[in-house]
Amino acid sequence: MAAAMSEKIWDLPIMHRLFIGLRPPPAIRQILLAAMGGVPAARWQTDDQLHLTLRFVGEVATPMAEEIALALARLDAAAPRARIEGVGRFDRDGRTDTLWAGVAPAAPLAALHRKVDRALVGLGLPSDTRSYLPHITLARLPRSQGMGPAIEGFLAKQAALASADFMMPHLSLFESTLTRDGAVYEVRARWPLGQ
């Protein structure tokens, strides 16, 4: 992976809510945007929010954020070839809170997730012990009741959601800012992945 960090990414010594991810190309994002809808009260993702998370970091201070950027710049990994494959949901406390599109094949993405995780563990951050399921979030749902039929309808309608194979050639370090209207993501740095 290319890249030497020649300048600081952050100017201010504050906390940064970070994650590492991949952005699908514009044509794939258009397929995902076209699939959205039909669930009242869902907060559908915008084009700028569509990404595949490899590793959530959480809040870190500026010096650690800079160390993470340096570690990612040194990461040697191939660009994954993937495709959109189906939809699903995540539930919390018996209620669906997220709708997502699946990304396959899982094995190369899981290998890249592990490589990124090892780089962060090498900096003293805790390992990500959750099961890794490659996906792109389509919507966040409020914790209100009564959306079951709409959610089931969306999952049935979009069950065959699929795309041709595509490449995700850059590893990106995102900063997430939480607002009343949802999260705003900013790519703070990105590096080309190998072929």
Side-chain angles (χ1 to χ4, degrees):
M1 178 175 291
M5 298 287 300
S6 60
E7 59 187 56
K8 295 262 182 213
I9 297 172
W10 290 275
D11 295 326
L12 300 174
I14 59 174
M15 298 298 285
H16 306 276
R17 188 172 188 264
L18 304 178
F19 66 91
I20 296 114
L22 305 168
R23 283 271 287 164
I28 300 303
R29 297 196 310 267
Q30 284 305 311
I31 290 169
L32 297 172
L33 290 167
M36 295 179 190
V39 181
R43 194 170 63 235
W44 298 99
Q45 301 293 280
T46 65
D47 181 71
D48 289 342
Q49 293 173 312
L50 293 174
H51 69 278
L52 182 145
T53 300
L54 287 170
R55 173 68 152 74
F56 181 72
V57 177
E59 289 202 358
V60 296
T62 300
M64 177 55 75
E66 293 288 352
E67 289 298 317
I68 290 168
L70 288 169
L72 295 174
R74 292 188 297 264
L75 197 71
D76 182 24
R81 178 174 291 280
R83 66 185 173 278
I84 301 300
E85 197 170 273
V87 293
R89 65 177 161 199
F90 291 132
D91 294 333
R92 184 176 303 188
D93 299 328
R95 295 182 183 161
T96 299
D97 65 357
T98 306
L99 299 173
W100 49 261
V103 182
L109 294 164
L112 183 54
H113 160 77
R114 287 189 301 273
K115 193 172 271 202
V116 168
D117 188 59
R118 281 194 301 273
L120 298 185
V121 169
L123 299 175
L125 294 171
S127 182
D128 184 1
T129 57
R130 297 170 295 177
S131 296
Y132 183 70
L133 174 67
H135 69 279
I136 297 172
T137 296
L138 300 178
R140 306 267 183 212
L141 303 175
R143 299 194 49 80
S144 59
Q145 306 234 1
M147 292 190 304
I151 292 168
E152 295 303 328
F154 171 82
L155 294 172
K157 180 179 178 184
Q158 299 299 338
L161 184 66
S163 76
D165 286 1
F166 59 91
M167 298 293 289
M168 291 183 280
H170 293 94
L171 183 68
S172 296
L173 177 61
F174 292 85
E175 185 162 9
S176 172
T177 303
L178 300 178
T179 72
R180 277 189 348 192
D181 298 324
V184 175
Y185 304 139
E186 179 182 356
V187 175
R188 298 308 304 244
R190 75 180 205 163
W191 304 270
L193 292 163
Q195 302 300 322

